[in-house]
Amino acid sequence: MKPQHVALTDKRYIIPFILITLLFFLWGFARSILDVLNKHFQNELAISVTQSGWIQVTTYLGYFLMAIPAGLVINRWGYRRGVVVGLLLFGLGALSFIPGAAIGTFHAFLVALFMIGCGLTFLETAANPYVTELGAKETATSRLNLSQSFNGMGNIFATFLVGQFLFSGENESGNVVIPYTILGICVLFIALVFSRVQLPEIVHTEDEQQESGWHKLGELWKHKNFVVGLIALLGYEVAEISINSYFINFVTGQGWMTDNAASIVLTAGLAFFMIGRFGGSWLMRRVAAERMLLVCAVGSIVCMLLILLDIRPLSLTALILNYVFEAIMFPTIFSLALTHMRHLTKIGSSLLMMTPIGGCGFLLMGYIADETNWVLPFIVPLIGYLPVLFFSVMRNRRTVK
């Protein structure tokens, strides 16, 4: 149990905490647009579910390729500059939808999405560990869950606003360039703000002794807790991104609702996700994070099994309920994996931020759906939740000892 009197953050860190937390909303918005974009491009460009999966592959390939460079840059020049670089790449990528539309090919849009993915990598690599450092170690997990709750708020706004815009009519869809142009302008303005503010750097005494980022990278593999946490986070990303990206395809493919209605139901699911994060942040000030993670891992696995049973009234309920269970997983695993990493925190977080490459799991879900039926693809997220369960069991055994 955590002491209830421990403050969520120090007074001197309140302003940095608020500013960084705003970034969580931004990348939640950017990532959730993809869940609507899949179905939009299927409709507009007459591509299959498998082909639309390249939206996730291209975006999250940016995470995989840029995570370590982002970590090295942040380790060398600090969190604030890492954030500014991320915002610039993000904003320019969003505005690249304008020439992408002029070119008019699917691949042109993929280039823009890759740029956005690179920018988001810098943002997340900087913001996630930075939040864990802005206060007492005892409340690090709860603090990160609170910030990640605003990520969930961004998810809700993206799927509802963009979904309603793109699926506004039965016979025509909105112009995808418009939301991305607005987003790009807003992001570049925020980049200007961050270039002017001063964020306190968290410096550990070991930093002066460990100057080589590559040396730190090799040192990470000596920490079993980090390695297992890395695998668990990858499994979670496979499950979470694949489910979100497949959601509209699944419920429309089953004949339950239209694209427009599906985007609204997905928004409802993401609202449960946000509620789960806010609730989890509050509970983990009183309940051990390891215990919460174990309960939620079991809950998500049960939900996937219920969907695979294909009992119609139960499937959709289990799918929505899963958003509550998985809500605390990313920030909790991320924080627990970085426990006691100290001078390895920045470079360790960059490796953890390679895990969104798990979003490529949607490509496999799409292939299974195209070749079999709409239900069987949920075997992919089921497998993804298994390493989360293993990590939570390992952490709970360590806590008991």
Side-chain angles (χ1 to χ4, degrees):
M1 300 285 287
K2 294 182 178 67
Q4 296 189 27
H5 65 275
V6 178
L8 191 64
T9 186
D10 295 346
K11 288 184 178 180
R12 68 181 187 273
Y13 292 145
I14 290 178
I15 298 301
F17 179 68
I18 292 173
L19 288 174
I20 291 295
T21 297
L22 290 176
L23 299 178
F24 285 74
F25 177 90
L26 279 181
W27 78 67
F29 193 97
R31 287 175 60 160
S32 284
I33 292 181
L34 304 181
D35 306 330
V36 176
L37 209 57
N38 281 101
K39 189 62 175 174
H40 171 73
F41 279 142
Q42 288 169 33
N43 296 342
E44 292 296 297
L45 303 177
I47 59 177
S48 68
V49 180
T50 305
Q51 289 172 314
S52 75
W54 285 100
I55 292 172
Q56 273 69 26
V57 172
T58 304
T59 304
Y60 295 116
L61 182 63
Y63 279 81
F64 185 77
L65 295 178
M66 292 301 294
I68 291 178
L72 294 174
V73 168
I74 292 166
N75 191 66
R76 179 78 163 80
W77 285 292
Y79 290 113
R80 185 180 65 86
R81 289 179 181 174
V83 166
V84 172
V85 170
L87 288 169
L88 289 174
L89 287 171
F90 180 2
L92 293 174
L95 292 178
S96 295
F97 266 69
I98 299 174
I103 296 171
T105 66
F106 184 46
H107 294 91
F109 290 114
L110 293 181
V111 172
L113 290 170
F114 177 76
M115 288 180 63
I116 292 173
C118 291
L120 297 181
T121 306
F122 273 88
L123 289 187
E124 297 192 47
T125 304
N128 282 299
Y130 191 59
V131 166
T132 65
E133 301 276 8
L134 294 176
K137 293 179 182 178
E138 293 85 352
T139 56
T141 302
S142 180
R143 191 164 49 251
L144 184 55
N145 268 282
L146 178 60
S147 292
Q148 285 279 353
S149 299
F150 287 85
N151 178 271
M153 192 176 295
N155 295 340
I156 293 172
F157 274 82
T159 54
F160 182 75
L161 296 178
V162 181
Q164 292 305 294
F165 179 75
L166 295 181
F167 304 135
S168 57
E170 291 295 328
N171 300 315
E172 62 178 1
S173 296
N175 185 354
V176 72
V177 173
I178 295 175
Y180 271 100
T181 300
I182 296 172
L183 180 61
I185 293 171
C186 291
V187 168
L188 290 179
F189 173 76
I190 295 171
L192 178 63
V193 172
F194 268 87
S195 69
R196 301 291 182 178
V197 300
Q198 292 297 320
L199 296 178
E201 281 295 321
I202 311 297
V203 181
H204 299 292
T205 56
E206 293 93 335
D207 282 340
E208 296 176 358
Q209 302 169 2
Q210 303 281 352
E211 296 181 358
S212 171
W214 292 109
H215 175 77
K216 294 179 184 179
L217 188 60
E219 193 177 338
L220 286 172
W221 306 111
K222 300 176 184 178
H223 297 263
K224 179 182 177 182
N225 177 75
F226 174 82
V227 174
V228 179
L230 175 66
I231 296 171
L233 201 59
L234 176 62
Y236 164 76
E237 293 283 20
V238 168
E240 187 255 342
I241 296 173
S242 297
I243 290 172
N244 288 345
S245 303
Y246 187 62
F247 189 102
I248 295 178
N249 287 286
F250 175 62
V251 297
T252 56
Q254 292 283 69
W256 296 343
M257 59 192 76
T258 64
D259 293 346
N260 194 351
S263 68
I264 295 175
V265 176
L266 174 57
T267 300
L270 293 171
F272 279 104
F273 184 85
M274 184 184 69
I275 292 169
R277 280 209 168 149
F278 275 116
S281 175
W282 180 79
L283 282 173
M284 277 188 281
R285 299 190 68 185
R286 296 158 177 81
V287 180
E290 293 86 351
R291 188 174 302 174
M292 282 285 294
L293 185 61
L294 176 60
V295 171
C296 290
V298 172
S300 285
I301 289 172
V302 170
C303 286
M304 293 303 103
L305 291 173
L306 290 174
I307 295 172
L308 287 167
L309 289 175
D310 197 20
I311 303 173
R312 293 296 172 104
L314 199 57
S315 297
L316 185 56
T317 302
L319 184 56
I320 297 296
L321 186 60
N322 180 65
Y323 281 101
V324 178
F325 286 121
E326 72 173 10
I328 60 100
M329 287 185 183
F330 179 89
T332 303
I333 297 169
F334 192 96
S335 179
L336 292 176
L338 291 177
T339 303
H340 305 307
M341 296 299 284
R342 294 185 63 77
H343 66 286
L344 298 174
T345 297
K346 290 179 181 177
I347 196 67
S349 69
S350 69
L351 271 189
L352 292 176
M353 286 318 307
M354 294 177 73
T355 58
I357 191 66
C360 295
F362 174 63
L363 191 66
L364 179 57
M365 287 189 79
Y367 176 78
I368 296 173
D370 287 336
E371 297 297 321
T372 59
N373 58 55
W374 295 106
V375 177
L376 190 59
F378 281 95
I379 193 71
V380 174
L382 173 63
I383 294 172
Y385 288 126
L386 292 178
V388 179
L389 178 63
F390 179 82
F391 181 62
S392 64
V393 170
M394 184 190 80
R395 290 287 311 195
N396 273 277
R397 285 179 177 173
R398 182 173 298 181
T399 302
V400 171
K401 291 179 180 179

